[in-house]
Amino acid sequence: MNAPIIDVRQQHKIPLGKAFALCLKGIAHRLFRSLLTLTVIVLAVAFFMVLLCESAFTKSVGGGVAVENAARRFASQRLAVWVSDVDQIGMAARLVAADGRPLALGEIAAVSGAQLEQVRALAAESRRESRVMAFFDGMDAGSRAILVRKSKGAEIFAYLADASRWTGFDAELAQLHALKPPMPLNELKASADGHLGYVERLAGLTQSWRTAVARLRDDLAPIDRAAAPDADAGGAGHSPPVLAQASADASVEAFRRRMADALAQGEAAFLISFQACLAAHGFADTPDQVRLVHDGLARAKRRNEVRDRLSTDECHAAWHKAFLEDPLIDKKMLVLDDQRVATILGGTWTPQQLSEISRDVAEENRLLLVEKAVVERQPPGQSGQGLISGRQAFLMAISFVVCMVGITNAMLMAITERFREIATMKCLGATDGFILQQFLMEASVQGFSGGLVGTAIGLVLALIKCSLIYGVYLFSYFPVVSVMQCGLICVGTGVALSTLASIYPSWSASRMAPMDAMRVE
């Protein structure tokens, strides 16, 4: 007897669009349960967005404030480079700062008379040595005692250069898993072996620089007399030949002060001659840069003169009479735009000049406060690198785990409530893959929605917090691209968290037998 023929037809597949519409209807039908899952995602993503945005804001504001501070300190820094004697530590710091900057390296080579390749190699060595020193300075006393015993500073390189001690150092470092060397061990050993040679080369470059700076000082002394020949006769409108007096004073600091005075009150002829002398000695300053130094020193000179005048007993008495109080000098400098201050100072400076000084002091104070806030909020030991610090990453990991547990629990409860629905769909021909697709699609939609809402909430909270800390600097250096990147990361994180947490519940739902599901009350 022939067996009956079973006609198995090809199963109908629902298009993805209809499946997505069915998914949205399911979410709307179970809105309360969906909102529970959505809330968990929103909280986790908002917390993540706050951390990312705060880090992005801190780095952006820190970079902008650093540029402003560098511009404000440009005059004093260039003045120090031109005339100040530098020791080996200072030269090493300059080489580290110049590493990777061709113009700065070229200036060091031109002034000292060294080969550019030698200076470039010495800068790379200086950076490597500074990394080694920072590595040992940053570790605790116990770990340092284990690795290099009582060695400090340059003694560490001598200690590591010894072959037998290096073997012990290598073995001990392998046991201290929390310590990561700043470079491969072969480079660290090469740095230790070549330390004495590096010190000799650095000493030679330092001496060459000091000799060149001494020659520059000798050549600068008569420049202002040539630029202002009428100054000795008391000619009006000319800068006094203060640098010509430097030959009688061997103090570098006194020469620096006289040069600052000469540059602050120097006229066009003096500045041109000054820049030409700098160029003849290898310095890379352009006429515009010399003019910037002149402007900066002139402002500083005027501010110091006002401060000194306000510190006199006569001004103390006049201030108390006009304002009925006598605050500290720093507070006085902030109200120079008051008309009464010009009267107290005897009309030596115009109200416009005093107002400019007051704004400059206020801006400098704000920059210092913002700079301090940036330093306090940078990840320790990372100088602002990386998205979040290690502690923040740990907190985020905990919040993500809690989020996934909450989503998984909510999805399991949703599946329990939908046993009969799952059984009905299977009886109507739904495959295991379709059931799995529906639940994962539902989780992804909720993750995407929660990610968007959490990202928006986190951005608003981060803006409120950082605007209170950084003020207008936040919007002056607002990192639009970084914020967009943080937003994409957070939305993607919401989708990933929701989808990963729903894999097990969705798989369990797809594997249910229809008859078993129908028996559940």
Side-chain angles (χ1 to χ4, degrees):
M1 182 178 180
N2 295 331
I5 298 176
I6 300 176
D7 185 14
V8 180
R9 298 181 181 180
Q10 186 175 3
Q11 195 168 23
H12 177 70
K13 293 184 179 181
I14 299 179
L16 186 61
K18 291 185 178 181
F20 184 73
L22 183 62
C23 171
L24 294 180
K25 289 182 180 179
I27 294 176
H29 181 67
R30 287 168 293 277
L31 185 60
F32 178 78
R33 185 71 64 192
S34 301
L35 289 177
L36 179 63
T37 305
L38 195 68
T39 302
V40 177
I41 300 172
V42 167
L43 293 177
V45 172
F47 182 40
F48 191 30
M49 185 65 178
V50 168
L51 293 182
L52 291 182
C53 285
E54 185 177 357
S55 177
F57 294 158
T58 298
K59 288 190 289 185
S60 179
V61 172
V65 169
V67 172
E68 288 195 36
N69 281 328
R72 287 178 171 272
R73 298 164 185 164
F74 179 76
S76 59
Q77 289 175 345
R78 290 309 298 171
L79 184 63
V81 169
W82 294 335
V83 298
S84 299
D85 285 338
V86 63
D87 55 12
Q88 292 187 33
I89 297 177
M91 178 56 69
R94 288 185 183 180
L95 288 170
V96 171
D99 189 26
R101 298 167 52 201
L103 290 179
L105 292 175
E107 182 181 71
I108 294 176
V111 173
S112 61
Q115 296 292 327
L116 179 58
E117 291 300 324
Q118 295 176 350
V119 174
R120 185 178 289 111
L122 199 58
E125 288 184 86
S126 298
R127 179 171 293 279
R128 186 169 58 190
E129 294 249 338
S130 67
R131 291 173 60 194
V132 174
M133 292 303 301
F135 170 67
F136 285 101
D137 290 342
M139 70 176 58
D140 59 275
S143 300
R144 180 189 291 183
I146 293 174
L147 293 176
V148 293
R149 304 302 181 262
K150 297 182 179 180
S151 302
K152 297 181 180 180
E155 298 174 355
I156 295 176
F157 293 96
Y159 182 92
L160 297 178
D162 184 88
S164 59
R165 291 175 174 175
W166 172 261
T167 302
F169 168 82
D170 191 5
E172 295 291 351
L173 183 61
Q175 300 298 321
L176 300 176
H177 301 290
L179 292 178
K180 295 182 179 180
M183 60 192 69
L185 290 181
N186 59 336
E187 293 185 17
L188 182 59
K189 185 64 168 67
S191 179
D193 293 340
H195 176 70
L196 292 179
Y198 161 75
V199 171
E200 292 179 359
R201 292 189 293 274
L202 181 62
L205 181 66
T206 303
Q207 184 58 44
S208 298
W209 180 277
R210 291 167 66 95
T211 302
V213 169
R215 289 197 302 266
L216 174 65
R217 290 173 55 194
D218 293 338
D219 293 344
L220 283 176
I223 285 180
D224 52 343
R225 175 172 291 161
D230 297 333
D232 292 329
H238 293 281
S239 56
V242 291
L243 293 183
Q245 307 168 16
S247 57
D249 193 340
S251 171
V252 175
E253 179 60 25
F255 184 85
R256 188 196 66 79
R257 290 196 299 269
R258 288 170 177 164
M259 178 182 282
D261 290 338
L263 284 169
Q265 58 191 355
E267 298 178 353
F270 172 79
L271 296 179
I272 292 174
S273 300
F274 186 87
Q275 190 274 331
C277 185
L278 290 177
H281 286 77
F283 290 95
D285 300 273
T286 64
D288 290 338
Q289 290 175 323
V290 173
R291 172 62 63 177
L292 287 176
V293 173
H294 160 74
D295 294 341
L297 293 176
R299 288 194 303 269
K301 179 180 177 64
R302 188 182 304 119
R303 186 169 68 179
N304 292 334
E305 290 174 347
V306 171
R307 179 183 288 270
D308 293 340
R309 177 71 69 85
L310 288 175
S311 300
T312 61
D313 294 337
E314 180 184 356
C315 284
H316 279 303
W319 190 285
H320 189 275
K321 182 178 180 180
F323 292 93
L324 301 179
E325 63 176 354
D326 191 15
L328 297 176
I329 188 66
D330 292 334
K331 291 187 177 180
K332 292 180 180 179
M333 297 293 289
L334 295 175
V335 294
L336 295 179
D337 51 357
D338 193 302
Q339 294 294 333
R340 291 172 289 181
V341 178
T343 304
I344 293 173
L345 294 174
T348 306
W349 297 275
T350 65
Q352 292 77 12
Q353 290 176 327
L354 295 177
S355 180
E356 179 183 348
I357 294 174
S358 181
R359 290 195 302 270
D360 190 59
V361 172
E363 182 67 17
E364 184 177 286
N365 292 340
R366 287 194 295 268
L367 283 172
L368 289 176
L369 290 176
V370 173
E371 188 177 39
K372 180 181 178 181
V374 168
V375 171
E376 291 175 349
R377 283 161 179 77
Q378 282 181 343
Q382 296 184 20
S383 301
Q385 297 178 358
L387 290 174
I388 54 179
S389 66
R391 178 175 176 273
Q392 291 173 327
F394 175 76
L395 294 176
M396 280 309 313
I398 296 298
S399 68
F400 285 164
V401 170
V402 174
C403 175
M404 292 184 67
V405 170
I407 296 172
T408 302
N409 182 59
M411 291 296 293
L412 287 173
M413 293 176 65
I415 290 172
T416 302
E417 296 174 351
R418 298 165 67 180
F419 276 163
R420 289 183 177 274
E421 178 184 337
I422 295 171
T424 302
M425 287 192 295
K426 285 206 167 189
C427 290
L428 292 175
T431 62
D432 292 352
F434 178 79
I435 301 297
L436 179 64
Q437 171 187 295
Q438 285 296 109
F439 279 97
L440 290 180
M441 188 181 296
E442 182 177 324
S444 299
V445 171
Q446 295 181 37
F448 181 76
S449 303
L452 285 178
V453 176
T455 298
I457 294 175
L459 177 59
V460 172
L461 293 177
L463 284 173
I464 294 175
K465 178 181 179 181
C466 291
S467 62
L468 295 176
I469 298 173
Y470 303 128
V472 296
Y473 294 99
L474 172 62
F475 303 99
S476 299
Y477 303 106
F478 192 80
V480 177
V481 176
S482 296
V483 170
M484 293 177 63
Q485 293 174 345
C486 293
L488 292 176
I489 291 174
C490 287
V491 173
T493 300
V495 175
L497 286 176
S498 181
T499 304
L500 291 175
S502 302
I503 289 178
Y504 173 72
S506 302
W507 181 81
S508 299
S510 67
R511 301 293 295 175
M512 291 181 63
M515 298 306 298
D516 293 337
M518 293 292 287
R519 295 192 186 101
V520 177
E521 295 293 336

